[in-house]
Amino acid sequence: MDIIKLMWGVGIIPVIVIDREEQAVPLAKALVEGGLPVLEVTFRTEAAAGAITAIRREVPEATVGAGTILTIEQLTAARRAGAVFGVAPGFDPIVVNEARVRQLPFCPGVSTASELSQALTAGCRFVKFFPAEAAGGVKMIKNLLGAFRFTGVRFMPTGGVSAANVADYLSLPEVACCGGTWVVPKAALAAGDYEEIRRLAAEAVAIVRRCR
Ligand code: 3PG
């Protein structure tokens, strides 16, 4: 699987924090219907692995990966659940290497030139720029590109990205996609307001179309 191509194709990856497994299928359906079929289910809750398995089983149109992979144990659980890619907020060479051994496409997080340099040395050309807004936003990515453009690096800015600023990031050709929780608001998910989530996904897709 070419992860950069996959991410570029959608432009926005919903970052999902799921509390109850039974929310997974209606949520994934709403996001797919809204036009966002590539999902990152974060391993921040107990329900993560079960949610990934349920989406794989019942929403075949979705491509589901695992986020917030900080440990080998989480990597193992994500793989077992059926995640087809992994994402981390930071760069841990041990986790990155283990993902390679298990042939799980992996996107580590970076926010400095040193971390980016290490990620590239470890063979990761696709990185999460996290926390995007707090780490300097579009300006920081442009500065990093001044030194790193020739490497072919591609970014997934995440953290503080929203409908209000996502177009600024997507206007950079080196930004393959942006990630964010804004398309799955905590309150809407808790209330089972999947119509609102579908609307936010469709709104996000319209922004991507205007940028590309
Ligand atoms: C992540 O882990 O990707 C971030 O917590 C998402 O940040 P956001 O809530 O600002 O989108």
XYZ file of all heavy atoms in Angstrom, residues 15 44 128 130 158-161 180-182, ligand 1:
96
model
N -9.413 12.062 13.015
C -8.747 11.439 14.162
C -9.853 11.114 15.174
O -10.525 12.016 15.687
C -7.688 12.384 14.769
C -7.129 11.814 16.067
C -6.556 12.617 13.766
N -6.251 5.570 22.457
C -6.292 6.326 23.715
C -7.405 5.816 24.595
O -7.570 6.278 25.719
C -6.571 7.803 23.435
C -5.425 8.499 22.799
C -5.783 9.924 22.480
N -5.115 10.310 21.273
C -5.333 11.426 20.613
N -6.232 12.296 21.060
N -4.676 11.687 19.524
N 3.843 12.700 10.489
C 2.819 13.548 11.092
C 3.537 14.769 11.664
O 4.540 14.615 12.374
C 2.138 12.735 12.198
C 1.175 13.503 13.077
C 0.377 12.517 13.930
C -0.498 13.245 14.938
N -1.588 12.399 15.443
N 3.257 17.246 14.310
C 2.427 17.322 15.515
C 3.195 17.948 16.671
O 4.353 17.596 16.886
C 1.959 15.918 15.908
C 1.154 15.899 17.172
C -0.195 16.220 17.147
C 1.746 15.599 18.397
C -0.949 16.233 18.320
C 1.003 15.610 19.577
C -0.354 15.932 19.530
N -1.245 17.765 12.078
C -2.353 17.393 12.980
C -2.132 18.084 14.317
O -0.997 18.200 14.774
C -2.367 15.864 13.209
O -2.344 15.197 11.959
C -3.602 15.430 13.979
N -3.237 18.498 14.926
C -3.128 19.178 16.225
C -3.432 20.655 16.033
O -2.585 21.413 15.557
N -4.670 21.015 16.337
C -5.059 22.409 16.156
C -5.515 22.734 14.742
O -5.770 23.886 14.406
N -5.613 21.704 13.893
C -6.107 21.925 12.523
C -7.635 21.862 12.559
O -8.215 21.062 13.300
C -5.527 20.872 11.546
C -6.034 21.128 10.137
C -4.001 20.896 11.583
N -7.281 15.445 12.062
C -7.890 16.263 13.095
C -9.144 15.655 13.676
O -9.793 14.800 13.053
N -9.435 16.103 14.876
C -10.631 15.610 15.568
C -11.854 16.481 15.264
O -12.953 16.137 15.667
C -10.419 15.609 17.097
O -10.077 16.938 17.501
C -9.312 14.667 17.520
N -11.638 17.599 14.552
C -12.759 18.541 14.430
C -13.949 17.956 13.675
O -15.064 18.397 13.875
C -12.285 19.863 13.805
C -12.300 19.930 12.315
C -13.343 20.359 11.527
C -11.244 19.567 11.410
N -12.989 20.286 10.195
C -11.712 19.805 10.098
C -9.949 19.060 11.577
C -10.931 19.557 8.968
C -9.184 18.813 10.453
C -9.662 19.048 9.177
C -3.889 13.902 17.454
O -3.441 13.111 18.254
O -3.823 13.670 16.251
C -4.411 15.185 17.971
O -4.751 15.085 19.310
C -5.518 15.771 17.206
O -5.541 17.110 17.514
P -6.861 17.984 17.383
O -7.774 17.504 18.429
O -6.396 19.395 17.602
O -7.401 17.778 15.992
